[in-house]
């Protein structure tokens, strides 16, 4: 029987789970998995339900909208979601995503890659994915972004992934893709915000470095965090060694974050994320 | 408003969450947190619900027993649970538990400590906890266990914790405390079952060692696992170094497992555990 | 045969290891373990050598001072080192140290505990360790610190450990104990410097929290880092839950850092540490 | 100035480091990094020295062989080492190695890939690497291995990497490549030896799964371990979910182990490894 996925969030009140599960039960659906959370700080309710049944799920959404009028209710689309990657020169995150998309279980399909350098064109093209070189030279930031948007309009992707894209995006660009841009920041945020985080980490003499995947909001480093991981380093690591070692964490965490978002496991609430794994 | 905790498990069928939340709603309770899981292999349903309200929760249980007759339904007791610790000579796990019980948030109260050696008597007594020395010398195993049971009958503890108790328990003893004995095994089970796991780990040249906290069933090393953790080791660790380094993991994992059980977060199902954290 | 420990650091030049090992060889000592490191940024050389032999090691130091006149050379003292702990109200780090010092392998002997609250007096006294209550009420910071120094002068400890001591030390106090004060900071430095790091971590929505043990230099949060560790958290953790979960990491990392320092494994160089484990 | 790498191992005796560093000093070389270890169980000495200087290093080896006649002394070759990968059907480990070899810092050059299935041919060929399909159908094990050896003789690789090669190798095959075959075993050895380790892990209800990279000796699962890592799992993971999650650990650990071996950081001693990181 086909499986469907429902996301609901609204201010908490008694009986929400009862009402949602009642609608599903009366339509003859069986719940496969159910996650709920009430944020204690704001008394906001979040629910993600996977359910199966023979009938079409649209009527469920209609009934739920009647039962809980103030809720945000969404039936998730099925199948792979389309993603365009923005990159600069580093191959490790992008290569990892290109490999993973061949996996039937990975929820992303990389439609195209856009870069301000030509470095990664051979890698991308060997995977049969279109590569768009859009240099930022001789362009101001809005002009460069307009050129990128022009390409993006051909693809209409569900999400953008910044796979080590080393340029800052304008608020105007970000506003076009609200909560649809995932970035990997090469540090354990908020430890080393900004440029050259590994150099900063080396100078501070830390014993652990990390990476942070997050939703891009108004600037590159402060959006809601989806996933983080770390690895130990020692005094024998130079800043370059740290950057090198950090690559493995960066690629794993970016892929994990992309998977969580595309599988509709991430809710965003007041610059924090609720994640149902 | 007082908070209550309900545990339910039964074969899965449509409408279970709907029925449970319906009973809670109609009695005027508000759900604070809700965890559900359906084991895909056996189609068994598990639910743990914390709920708050002004009325007594006993009527909820009665109504639930009518609504889901075949389910195991249990209202969890409130407050700290009583625990007796069995130990041999090593102080690290026991000392850690004795320290933690002073914490209002820790759900265990160590009623007494029983040991087959006198080594730890001063430590236990400085915490004001009764220490019972029951040597195994000149006793066969059933005789020794009878002496232990004799002491335990005075305390009627909710749980026993084997905090580095280095003797094997008979099936008869274990059967007296079904799913009520927690053990810490000083290896990453099932890697090095049996005696001297650190010596085994050293000889195998592993790069990671670990510890496993589990429910004791018929023998010391094969019961349902509650928690495990590991730490990296190198070629420079002797078996003794590994044992020493392992102590930190052992004490943290044993305390974590005890907390999970006493907070009613652990369901046992076919030698596996379902844990709602 | 008795074992000795030698620490050497100096600007790097060819032949340093050759000269050191030559002196040891000619005095009939056998090297048990040897660690060397040359910092690539500053070309500074660090060496820690454990060696064994029947004769007294003092002549080795004399010969080394002749062979490498510009080096800092130090023969480490043997046996446990004396430590005084400063605490406020939280028991977990202090309790852990008090338990560990009974272990023959732990290199610290807690001579006394000083606190600005009486909260931990019973715990400390049950371990037979003197507890000094020095309230900061009605005293300005220098006055309070003078009262602490007055007590410390009776003990003349090798090191001070700040085991969740929640007051800022003046530069004058820190200057009295150069590189002899170890602090546990309850965050993954430099992520959440200052007060209430768990509240900061919660508001930022991080998925990992941590703790940092470091040498205290001019202020509480920027000295050379000795050890760090982390643990994962989720959206379901409040700031209070994070603080609670962080305790286990804090106590393990503080004890680890203290061990590393007392075993003479830590060199400090330009606000970074070189650590020979 | 060019850098060289020297590996020495021999029974321990006084003065070894002194003699080695003396030879380097007298030839005008400067030591860049130095690692030594004496195995306490067997009193065997291991040393890895990177040194730089203007002259050729061959004379150093001659002098060392005179100074320490019983030692195994080896000057490591420079540049990337040639590797042939054996695979079956899974892409994740192989894809990761193919991506990494483009990195100037990665010490392996994948010369060719051999598989008993055609599944991975397109992936390999898009990287411009020769793919050899050698089916095992209608061949007994020695016949199949002879066909593989026939291809390997064309490449004369320094090492073989089993990147999820799901067939058991005969002792005769392994004996051709002594200590030159690296395998990734998809479990935390020795926890789940043999077939279907994730199914075994699921049935045992473990909370942590892992992967082990090791040198292949007489059978696939018992050779000296180079690297291991783990990841947490919960009751909600099926055996298939575990296998999926395990892929990230497998690929990272296999690449790490290959790097350690090719950078000449691994000594093998009595089925254990000494690793100088």
């Amino acid at each position: 029987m086909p499986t469907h996925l429902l996301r609901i969030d609204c201010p908490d009140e008694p009986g929400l789970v009862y009402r949602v599960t009642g609608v599903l039960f009366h339509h003859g659906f069986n719940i496969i998995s159910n996650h709920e959370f009430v944020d204690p700080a704001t008394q906001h309710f979040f629910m993600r339900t996977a359910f199966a049944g023979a009938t079409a799920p649209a009527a469920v959404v209609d009934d739920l909208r009647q039962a809980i009028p103030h809720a945000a209710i969404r039936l998730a689309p099925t199948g792979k979601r389309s993603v365009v990657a923005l990159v600069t020169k580093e191959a490790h995150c992008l290569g990892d995503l290109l490999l993973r998309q061949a996996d039937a279980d990975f929820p992303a399909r990389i439609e195209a890659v856009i870069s301000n350098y030509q470095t990664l064109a051979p890698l991308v093209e060997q995977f049969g994915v279109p590569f768009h070189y859009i240099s930022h030279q001789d362009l101001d930031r809005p002009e460069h972004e307009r050129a990128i948007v022009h390409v993006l309009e051909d693809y209409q992707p569900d999400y953008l992934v910044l796979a080590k894209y080393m340029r800052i995006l304008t608020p105007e660009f970000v506003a076009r893709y609200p909560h649809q841009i995932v970035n990997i920041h090469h540090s354990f945020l908020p430890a080393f915000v900004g440029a050259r985080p590994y150099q900063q980490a080396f100078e501070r003499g830390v014993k652990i470095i990390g990476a942070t995947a997050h939703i891009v909001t108004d600037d590159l480093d402060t959006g809601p965090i989806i996933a983080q991981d770390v690895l130990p380093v020692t005094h024998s690591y130079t800043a370059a060694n740290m950057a090198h070692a950090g690559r493995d964490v960066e690629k794993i965490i970016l892929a994990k974050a992309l998977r969580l978002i595309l599988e509709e496991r991430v809710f965003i609430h007041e610059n924090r994320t609720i994640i149902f794994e």
Side-chain angles (χ1 to χ4, degrees), chain A residues 1-6 20-21 24-25 28-36 47-54 78 265 277:
Chain A
M1 281 197 297
T3 299
H4 314 288
L5 192 59
L6 194 64
V20 174
T21 55
L24 291 171
F25 180 69
F29 288 105
N30 195 17
I31 293 171
I32 292 166
S33 78
N34 221 15
H35 289 92
E36 305 125 39
M47 185 170 183
R48 178 189 188 270
T49 302
F51 57 100
T78 55
R265 298 180 182 278
E277 278 189 84

Side-chain angles (χ1 to χ4, degrees), chain A residues 2 7 11 15 29 48 50 59 72-73 76 92 117 209 236:
Chain A
R7 290 164 57 105
F29 288 105
R48 178 189 188 270
I73 298 171
H92 57 285
Y117 287 90
I209 59 171
S236 71

